[in-house]
Amino acid sequence: MPERFDNLVEGLTEERAISVILADPDSLERPVDKYMAATRLGASDSEQSLNTLIEAAQLSPDNLFDRITRRKALDALGRRRHPKALPVLFAALNCSDESAVINAVDSITKISSELDTEQKKQLLQALGGEDIQKRAVIQAHTRLGIEGADHAIKPFDEDPNPLVSGAARAYGSKVHGRTAALDPLVPQLVDQIAGRRRSAVIDLGDAGDVSRLESLVTAPVSMSLRARSAFQLVDPGKTCVVPREYEALITQLLQDNPQNLKLRTEWICDVNADEIENNLQHRDEARQYGGAASLMSMEEEEKLALIDRIKDKLWSDYVTHYYLTAVVSLQKIDSRSELVRLALAETIPQYTKSRIAAAWGCLAMGLNDQAELLEQLAAQAQWLPLKWTCMQVLKKLK
């Protein structure tokens, strides 16, 4: 399955990746090729590439390029999802490089094999790291459904760092049924700090309490992150079937109207071209949504002029690309429907969110000429929110 930044290594062959990943960094003209090679081998499926990644996950951390390569290899082994990698991943839990430990924990989670008693003990021991490592280890216990760790994890419900306490509360909910413990995560969805909002969205998805869905839908956090958590709640079996009682909320989430989100006033800029453009490029998606909401509030002629200006300057930026596509789709701007057609045709993974906005735009503007592509996506799209969107649009477009 293509991942977000696969296009960055698409020119690197598996053979070349295997040849450089274990090489002495000093022998390479571009030592960065080593860790690019790890990403490339994560997308391979041969036994040789898997074995090479396992070797790379054991590189000495003394050299900076080898240390980064080891981290990338540990991460790539999670994508390969092969139990053969588990011994090297568990061995990495004992290293002093926190980033390597976190990548190993995440990969153990992705492989999702039944762990034996010793492996569970090793994983729990990794709880002794810094906060970001604690969070990853607690998440692993939640996602793997490990029941016997409650004595060690429950005390973190009251941790002063919400990234740790949120993960612990999600564990208590998902594995031990303590759904009431999730209550503090709801106000965290509108926290002034973006990282806290994002972590709350992730934790509510992990927690498995579908009654929290409406709070997720209106959170000023990236639609793709909210969609991942929402689908965890309504479609845990990944069937691409949403129960009827949740269809309206999932549709609202995926249509992603900024004017329906719980935005603080300070996140919404003035209805001014320069301020809107600046907000759309902000690192905090709440401010991006605030810019999009202000763009939607503009007078028509002024709005069209700004859409054209931003498209000319920033259409290649996948974040701005998404908001322009969403605004045109939500407001049924027929004179700019070509943006919707262009967005729907984008195949680079970073633009997947734009394709969802474009699909809804096809429905809003009656773009029946896009039916063939929508049918293709409904049948073949790997990301469930995109697949489900296209299925819904096709039902109503015909």
Side-chain angles (χ1 to χ4, degrees):
M1 173 180 170
E3 294 194 0
R4 192 175 183 186
F5 294 109
D6 280 357
N7 56 300
L8 299 181
V9 296
E10 61 186 3
L12 184 63
T13 65
E14 179 180 313
E15 182 180 15
R16 172 64 179 165
I18 289 172
S19 72
V20 301
I21 192 171
L22 300 174
D24 182 343
D26 294 333
S27 71
L28 298 174
E29 182 178 348
R30 283 170 33 91
V32 297
D33 286 348
K34 285 175 62 72
Y35 48 88
M36 297 291 281
T39 300
R40 171 63 182 83
L41 296 180
S44 300
D45 56 11
S46 68
E47 184 174 0
Q48 183 183 9
S49 63
L50 177 63
N51 291 336
T52 303
L53 275 175
I54 290 173
E55 283 191 68
Q58 302 172 74
L59 285 167
S60 167
D62 294 340
N63 181 284
L64 174 63
F65 291 104
D66 280 338
R67 184 160 68 250
I68 297 173
T69 301
R70 181 177 69 168
R71 294 173 184 171
K72 294 286 188 179
L74 290 165
D75 178 67
L77 286 170
R79 182 172 180 182
R80 297 298 298 267
R81 288 175 164 77
H82 200 296
K84 183 178 182 179
L86 285 174
V88 73
L89 293 172
F90 276 97
L93 297 182
N94 298 313
C95 76
S96 59
D97 180 359
E98 183 182 60
S99 294
V101 174
I102 291 168
N103 285 355
V105 170
D106 288 344
S107 290
I108 290 167
T109 305
K110 289 175 181 174
I111 291 171
S112 197
S113 291
E114 182 73 29
L115 304 186
D116 60 32
T117 301
E118 180 58 29
Q119 289 171 329
K120 290 177 182 177
K121 180 180 176 181
Q122 288 178 270
L123 184 60
L124 191 60
Q125 286 173 342
L127 195 59
E130 297 298 320
D131 283 355
I132 190 170
Q133 183 172 315
K134 283 189 179 78
R135 176 172 172 79
V137 172
I138 295 170
Q139 286 176 321
H141 282 80
T142 304
R143 295 168 185 176
L144 294 173
I146 300 174
E147 296 181 0
D150 199 38
H151 67 286
I153 294 176
K154 190 176 187 302
F156 289 111
D157 280 11
E158 304 304 327
D159 194 276
N161 186 339
L163 275 68
V164 176
S165 63
R169 289 170 180 274
Y171 171 81
S173 171
K174 181 69 174 180
V175 181
H176 296 284
R178 294 192 295 269
T179 56
L182 300 174
D183 289 347
L185 293 180
V186 175
Q188 192 179 320
L189 292 169
V190 291
D191 195 281
Q192 291 182 328
I193 299 173
R196 292 182 177 180
R197 297 195 304 272
R198 295 167 190 152
S199 68
V201 166
I202 293 168
D203 293 336
L204 287 172
D206 284 345
D209 181 8
V210 74
S211 72
R212 311 292 175 160
L213 180 61
E214 187 169 0
S215 297
L216 276 178
V217 168
T218 57
V221 175
S222 168
M223 182 272 277
S224 54
L225 191 62
R226 285 180 287 134
R228 187 177 74 176
S229 287
F231 271 78
Q232 278 182 261
L233 296 178
V234 303
D235 184 23
K238 299 181 179 180
T239 62
C240 204
V241 176
V242 173
R244 186 176 297 277
E245 63 264 38
Y246 305 124
E247 284 184 357
L249 281 172
I250 294 297
T251 298
Q252 180 182 336
L253 189 159
L254 296 175
Q255 289 182 341
D256 203 24
N257 189 331
Q259 297 174 327
N260 295 334
L261 300 181
K262 292 181 178 177
L263 295 172
R264 291 175 177 263
T265 55
E266 63 264 31
W267 293 333
I268 304 173
C269 64
D270 290 338
V271 182
N272 170 279
D274 291 338
E275 289 196 31
I276 290 171
E277 185 175 330
N278 288 335
N279 262 41
L280 291 178
Q281 297 176 80
H282 201 282
R283 292 181 65 183
D284 185 339
E285 57 264 40
R287 292 193 179 273
Q288 295 165 11
Y289 279 120
S294 295
L295 176 59
M296 294 175 74
S297 298
M298 280 183 137
E299 295 294 332
E300 194 70 11
E301 187 174 338
E302 189 181 7
K303 181 193 305 177
L304 293 177
L306 183 54
I307 287 173
D308 292 342
R309 172 179 129 182
I310 294 175
K311 178 183 181 295
D312 289 343
K313 293 172 63 177
L314 300 168
W315 187 242
S316 62
D317 172 67
Y318 62 88
V319 174
T320 312
H321 187 283
Y322 171 68
Y323 288 107
L324 289 187
T325 306
V327 169
V328 170
S329 297
L330 288 164
Q331 297 199 305
K332 307 177 187 179
I333 306 177
D334 293 293
S335 63
R336 298 298 181 271
S337 62
E338 189 57 27
L339 273 66
V340 169
R341 292 183 173 89
L342 289 170
L344 190 67
E346 286 285 1
T347 57
I348 297 174
Q350 289 96 312
Y351 294 96
T352 302
K353 192 163 65 165
S354 290
R355 301 185 92 178
I356 289 180
W360 293 115
C362 289
L363 177 61
M365 291 182 271
L367 303 183
N368 291 285
D369 59 316
Q370 299 301 297
E372 184 177 350
L373 181 50
L374 288 166
E375 287 172 355
Q376 179 184 328
L377 290 170
Q380 300 174 11
Q382 298 292 320
W383 195 41
L384 291 184
L386 175 58
K387 187 181 184 73
W388 187 84
T389 292
C390 292
M391 291 169 64
Q392 302 310 302
V393 168
L394 283 167
K395 287 179 187 176
K396 298 170 184 177
L397 191 62
K398 293 180 178 179

